[in-house]
Amino acid sequence: MSSILEFTKEIEKNTSSIYDKIKDVIPKIEWPLYAPFIDKINHLKKIKNAVILAHNYQTPEIYHGVADIVGDSLSLAIEASKTKADIIIMAGVHFMAETAKIMNPNKKVLIPDLGAGCSLAESITAEDIKKLKKQYPGVPVVTYVNTSAEVKAETDICCTSANAVKVVESLGVNEVIFLPDAYLAKYVASKTKVKIISWHGTCMVHEQFTSKELNDLRKNYPDLVIVSHPECPPKVIKASDFTGSTSGMIKYVQDKKPKNVFLVTECSMSDNVQVDNPDTNFVRPCNLCPHMKKIQLPKIYDCLMNETNEVLINKSVIDKAKLAVEKMIRVGRESNLS
Ligand code: 13P
Ligand code: SF4
């Protein structure tokens, strides 16, 4: 895999409108490293009728440079179900690529790095769910999409951070098993009367934030607006002004146009949102997701060019998992977290 391609005058011209857009978040000295890949990837996509879906945590050169569709986990699942492309490249983590495959069993779904996992997805197996179902007979299982296809296949319905409460309430029952994120489960429990039986998974990125950090920042920026993801610990959510999925967080910034905002989430979100909201100051620190950061332009190019790293799932698993994802898509988004 080549990590450097020549930066010609022609490539500079072809990519100049993209660079103009993201010049505030990508130093000029770095552009010659990215531009040749962006140019080649965009050209190859047309030839191969491929589409690149990118999660909001992807770096700006991917998010603004080569992605056809960007969004949170729910949007990516919905878009994956609609695409007419022959090849889907998931610029995101493995469970997102699996969801795209579940929705498109006959299409080629590729991920630039098969090792791009997720601490939540790794916290639970299909065997764990089978045991829980025996322990709580008849109680429906709601599974966060941040799980493997095998786990989804053992599930009644999936949810994302954009619709977790709505999904739980859509079942019309008094209690549910809600997996695997312990903090998202606490967040949902705080918003519904339905009893939540949870699991002990956590997101390695969001669990690191503390309410002390948020309160200290408020001392430096008295008008600071704090927007957090529901995978954060409860004290962090309590200290925030708004909590929502990554797309919900972006929409909040677009609608409210705060002067100073702290997005309590993965680092690239602030860079990506800053591009379209130049009048807002994005206060850091933030935490990096090592899995999301495994996806880089040279790997996207290689995977598209050679059609490598195909995501394959057993048909019987797809058939069961698809029902759970489709049920979730039918429920839609929470109106306040859109
Ligand atoms: P969203 O569904 O809110 O985009 O979150 C996905 C994720 O992995 C958050 O850490
Ligand atoms: Fe998983 Fe957290 Fe990374 Fe999202 S940010 S992919 S939940 S480890």
Side-chain angles (χ1 to χ4, degrees), residues 57 93 118-120 146 203-205 231 289 292:
Y57 293 162
V93 293
C118 169
S119 64
L120 279 168
N146 297 38
C203 161
M204 63 194 287
V205 175
E231 289 170 11
C289 173
M292 287 281 178

Side-chain angles (χ1 to χ4, degrees), residues 55-57 71-74 93 95-96 118 120 144-146 160-162 203 205-206 229-231 244-247 265 292:
H55 185 260
N56 292 324
Y57 293 162
D72 62 4
S73 309
L74 182 59
V93 293
F95 76 80
M96 295 174 178
C118 169
L120 279 168
Y144 195 29
V145 285
N146 297 38
T160 75
S161 55
C203 161
V205 175
H206 292 94
H229 194 275
E231 289 170 11
S245 76
T246 54
S247 291
T265 193
M292 287 281 178

Side-chain angles (χ1 to χ4, degrees), residues 316-330:
S316 63
V317 171
I318 290 193
D319 290 345
K320 282 159 93 189
K322 196 164 189 239
L323 295 176
V325 177
E326 281 173 346
K327 264 194 221 161
M328 168 190 80
I329 291 176
R330 281 199 292 276

Side-chain angles (χ1 to χ4, degrees), residues 13 15 30 41-42 51 56 64 67 93 109 121 145 148 190-191 241 246 251 259 261 276 292 330 335:
K13 194 167 148 259
T15 58
E30 287 179 17
I41 290 167
N42 286 335
V51 70
N56 292 324
H64 292 285
V93 293
V109 176
V145 285
S148 68
S190 76
K191 302 271 171 203
D241 298 294
T246 54
K251 188 169 183 301
K259 195 159 155 270
V261 72
D276 298 317
M292 287 281 178
R330 281 199 292 276
S335 49

Side-chain angles (χ1 to χ4, degrees), residues 45 92 124 133 178 182 185 195 206 236 245 260 336:
K45 274 192 318 193
I124 191 153
K133 286 202 276 200
F178 186 96
K195 187 179 165 213
H206 292 94
V236 169
S245 76
N260 291 301
N336 61 336

Side-chain angles (χ1 to χ4, degrees), residues 130-338:
K130 284 181 193 159
K131 282 186 200 148
L132 278 167
K133 286 202 276 200
K134 277 201 186 125
Q135 205 180 332
Y136 300 98
V139 180
V141 180
V142 179
T143 294
Y144 195 29
V145 285
N146 297 38
T147 46
S148 68
E150 286 77 13
V151 165
K152 287 185 179 75
E154 289 301 322
T155 292
D156 292 285
I157 186 165
C158 287
C159 75
T160 75
S161 55
N163 62 9
V165 179
K166 204 171 172 191
V167 165
V168 164
E169 295 191 335
S170 75
L171 298 172
V173 293
N174 295 328
E175 63 177 347
V176 300
I177 300 170
F178 186 96
L179 318 154
D181 187 351
Y183 291 144
L184 182 63
K186 280 206 164 91
Y187 175 75
V188 173
S190 76
K191 302 271 171 203
T192 181
K193 289 197 167 63
V194 179
K195 187 179 165 213
I196 305 291
I197 299 161
S198 61
W199 187 249
H200 49 68
T202 50
C203 161
M204 63 194 287
V205 175
H206 292 94
E207 70 176 348
Q208 292 179 51
F209 292 106
T210 64
S211 53
K212 182 181 178 314
E213 189 179 357
L214 270 56
N215 294 331
D216 287 349
L217 278 170
R218 283 211 199 266
K219 284 181 201 143
N220 296 337
Y221 300 89
D223 63 349
L224 186 64
V225 173
I226 298 181
V227 179
S228 63
H229 194 275
E231 289 170 11
C232 291
K235 280 187 181 166
V236 169
I237 291 180
K238 200 160 175 257
S240 308
D241 298 294
F242 174 78
T243 299
S245 76
T246 54
S247 291
M249 295 168 84
I250 295 173
K251 188 169 183 301
Y252 185 89
V253 173
Q254 282 165 347
D255 291 351
K256 305 277 175 189
K257 303 191 189 331
K259 195 159 155 270
N260 291 301
V261 72
F262 175 30
L263 299 183
V264 193
T265 193
E266 213 274 341
C267 296
S268 293
M269 268 273 289
S270 293
D271 292 339
N272 291 332
V273 188
Q274 183 161 49
V275 168
D276 298 317
N277 297 273
D279 297 331
T280 293
N281 173 40
F282 290 81
V283 173
R284 268 70 167 188
C286 53
N287 295 323
L288 279 170
C289 173
H291 298 293
M292 287 281 178
K293 300 297 90 127
K294 283 189 174 151
I295 309 301
Q296 293 149 10
L297 287 174
K299 292 186 196 172
I300 296 178
Y301 177 54
D302 194 51
C303 150
L304 178 55
M305 170 86 134
N306 301 311
E307 299 182 26
T308 46
N309 293 354
E310 184 167 1
V311 175
L312 297 168
I313 309 171
N314 189 303
K315 185 179 174 319
S316 63
V317 171
I318 290 193
D319 290 345
K320 282 159 93 189
K322 196 164 189 239
L323 295 176
V325 177
E326 281 173 346
K327 264 194 221 161
M328 168 190 80
I329 291 176
R330 281 199 292 276
V331 170
R333 282 176 184 270
E334 249 128 50
S335 49
N336 61 336
L337 297 180
S338 56

